Amino acid sequence: MLPFARVRELLGPPREVELPGGATVGALWDDLAKTCEGLRQLAQSTRIALNGRVARREEALQDGDEVALLPPAGGG
Amino acid sequence: MLPFARVRELLGPPREVELPGGATVGALWDDLAKTCEGLRQLAQSTRIALNGRVARREEALQDGDEVALLPPAGGG
Amino acid sequence: MFAIVRGPIDVSAIAKSVRTDACGAIITFSGVVRETSDDDRPVTGLSYEAHESMAAAEFEAIAQEARRRFGPCEIAVAHRIGDLHVGEVSVAVAVGAPHRGVAFDACLFTIDELKRRAPIWKKEHYAQGDSEWRSNPDAQA
Amino acid sequence: MFAIVRGPIDVSAIAKSVRTDACGAIITFSGVVRETSDDDRPVTGLSYEAHESMAAAEFEAIAQEARRRFGPCEIAVAHRIGDLHVGEVSVAVAVGAPHRGVAFDACLFTIDELKRRAPIWKKEHYAQGDSEWRSNPDAQA
């Protein structure tokens, strides 16, 4: 789980996350948001990328997947 | 008299020109064009600058004036 | 060249990388750290971070889209991450094309799209001592 | 800086000259000698000449007009004269502005107007051995 920018400041540095078999991208988000009020407020604006490409909530996770949490872009 | 680009190739390098008192920009052009068929063909496209600023044919010349002959621009 | 870099950006080198013998025009855009924020607060510097592999891939996707839209051209993009002072270059885009119209269009499109969709983030550090993550007004949601 | 120069143009130096602490965007345009003419003849090089004082004054007049039209910005222009080979830079325009919109607009306007009205002339030298004076399609008459 690879959080960036303000999401990283809420969740801390990248870390491994244990999930039940068949868990989805959405389930991971809900799990993280459960204990973090700040993260819940960013639900609308945060995109989630699975192995380097933006993913939908329904997509299933495999062992070793990289899930990145991407706040709105600020580059340039 | 300061000719540039294709006009310079017709008239040769910059040179002093003797004109009767009260001569105009147009009179200088006509004097030069009289003996140069190639220059007559460029009458429509050549602008004439008097002391660094584009001039009309009717403007009178003074001793020591710089008259530049400017073909269409090709810079860039 | 599509890169996230950690040190100063060499804009000349990026410009050179987009020149071919068919090239009649090279445009470079450099984004520079300004002394004031968009809401007019004095700024001392910026920190950038990026999802590096996704950002580089996005630069390349944007460049391909620019070529489809505007015509053949060479495009290079470099974005710096880490801490930057006022006056330093945070991003450079260079475009080489046979004629200037394509080069201008492709360069503007590339920087506009980069700001909208590349996974890069910016924290502004203010003269008053506080800091804030700032997203772009047109960032993709 | 508004200059006619005889040697290679240092685009980085010109870009640096337009930066202020209010500057968030720097655009450079470089015109480069292409290997083919507009009518597709192989080109070995170009020779430029200029009415130097009138050209430099025209650059400055164009820059003032650009600022009136698009807003505050810093503009620099250098045009090289003499003999140039394929790949060499004949002209560079740099614009520094708080935001990129003004910088892009002012840069494009400046090079368009320079080609239209600056007293500079170009002779193309072709691979076949002949040469020709070429004026710009939109040159002021």
Side-chain angles (χ1 to χ4, degrees):
Chain A
M1 188 273 300
L2 198 57
F4 286 97
R6 72 185 76 196
V7 176
R8 178 179 47 72
E9 290 186 347
L10 289 168
L11 297 179
R15 66 170 194 267
E16 303 282 319
V17 177
E18 297 280 339
L19 289 168
T24 61
V25 165
L28 170 58
W29 173 271
D30 294 341
D31 194 54
L32 296 166
K34 200 166 51 191
T35 56
C36 181
E37 162 66 17
L39 190 61
R40 289 197 291 278
Q41 295 180 357
L42 301 178
Q44 294 308 311
S45 63
T46 305
R47 291 189 299 162
I48 304 176
L50 176 55
N51 299 322
R53 136 198 97 54
V54 173
R56 299 184 314 282
R57 278 183 67 92
E58 309 77 58
E59 291 185 52
L61 296 174
Q62 310 287 330
D63 214 32
D65 277 348
E66 180 206 275
V67 177
L69 305 180
L70 315 175
Chain B
M1 187 274 301
L2 198 57
F4 287 98
R6 71 186 76 197
V7 175
R8 179 179 47 72
E9 291 186 347
L10 289 167
L11 297 180
R15 66 170 193 266
E16 303 282 320
V17 177
E18 296 282 340
L19 289 168
T24 60
V25 165
L28 171 58
W29 174 270
D30 293 341
D31 195 54
L32 295 167
K34 201 168 49 191
T35 55
C36 182
E37 162 66 17
L39 190 61
R40 288 198 290 279
Q41 295 181 357
L42 301 178
Q44 293 309 311
S45 63
T46 305
R47 292 189 297 162
I48 304 177
L50 176 54
N51 298 323
R53 123 199 108 54
V54 173
R56 299 184 315 282
R57 277 182 67 91
E58 309 77 58
E59 292 185 52
L61 297 175
Q62 309 288 329
D63 214 33
D65 277 348
E66 179 206 277
V67 178
L69 304 180
L70 316 174
Chain C
M1 187 229 290
F2 302 102
I4 296 289
V5 299
R6 287 184 164 66
I9 292 178
D10 182 347
V11 181
S12 311
I14 294 168
K16 199 164 289 179
S17 78
V18 299
R19 204 196 69 73
T20 67
D21 279 352
C23 175
I26 296 173
I27 312 286
T28 66
F29 167 84
S30 305
V32 182
V33 180
R34 284 194 300 140
E35 63 184 353
T36 49
S37 65
D38 284 341
D39 48 356
D40 268 330
R41 300 182 63 188
V43 165
T44 57
L46 303 178
S47 305
Y48 285 95
E49 61 181 72
H51 188 307
E52 300 186 37
S53 60
M54 283 187 75
E58 195 71 52
F59 297 165
E60 192 158 2
I62 292 167
Q64 280 179 4
E65 194 173 329
R67 281 192 293 268
R68 263 202 314 275
R69 284 179 179 232
F70 304 113
C73 57
E74 298 291 320
I75 301 178
V77 181
H79 200 300
R80 184 170 169 186
I81 57 174
D83 299 324
L84 280 76
H85 299 290
V86 171
E88 291 193 294
V89 173
S90 57
V91 59
V93 175
V95 181
H99 296 285
R100 68 188 183 284
V102 169
F104 271 99
D105 287 344
C107 189
L108 183 56
F109 176 82
T110 299
I111 185 62
D112 283 351
E113 288 297 297
L114 181 155
K115 291 177 83 94
R116 200 172 71 81
R117 69 196 219 202
I120 303 173
W121 300 275
K122 170 176 60 195
K123 192 170 200 170
E124 284 182 349
H125 304 292
Y126 303 107
Q128 282 182 297
D130 55 332
S131 294
E132 204 175 311
W133 291 102
R134 300 297 290 257
S135 55
N136 294 325
D138 53 351
Q140 196 173 58
Chain D
M1 188 228 291
F2 302 102
I4 296 290
V5 299
R6 285 181 166 67
I9 293 178
D10 182 346
V11 182
S12 311
I14 293 168
K16 199 165 289 179
S17 78
V18 299
R19 204 195 69 72
T20 67
D21 279 353
C23 175
I26 296 173
I27 312 286
T28 67
F29 167 83
S30 305
V32 182
V33 180
R34 286 193 299 139
E35 63 184 354
T36 51
S37 65
D38 283 343
D39 49 356
D40 267 331
R41 301 182 62 189
V43 165
T44 56
L46 302 179
S47 304
Y48 285 95
E49 61 181 73
H51 188 307
E52 300 187 35
S53 61
M54 282 188 74
E58 195 70 52
F59 298 164
E60 191 157 3
I62 292 167
Q64 280 179 6
E65 195 173 328
R67 281 192 292 269
R68 263 201 313 277
R69 284 178 180 233
F70 305 113
C73 56
E74 298 291 319
I75 301 178
V77 181
H79 201 299
R80 186 171 169 184
I81 57 174
D83 300 323
L84 280 76
H85 298 290
V86 171
E88 290 193 293
V89 173
S90 57
V91 57
V93 176
V95 181
H99 296 284
R100 69 188 183 284
V102 170
F104 270 99
D105 288 343
C107 189
L108 183 56
F109 176 82
T110 299
I111 184 61
D112 283 351
E113 288 298 296
L114 181 154
K115 290 176 84 93
R116 199 172 73 79
R117 68 196 220 203
I120 303 172
W121 301 277
K122 170 176 60 195
K123 191 170 201 171
E124 285 181 349
H125 304 292
Y126 304 107
Q128 282 182 297
D130 54 331
S131 293
E132 204 177 311
W133 290 103
R134 299 299 289 257
S135 55
N136 294 325
D138 53 351
Q140 196 172 57

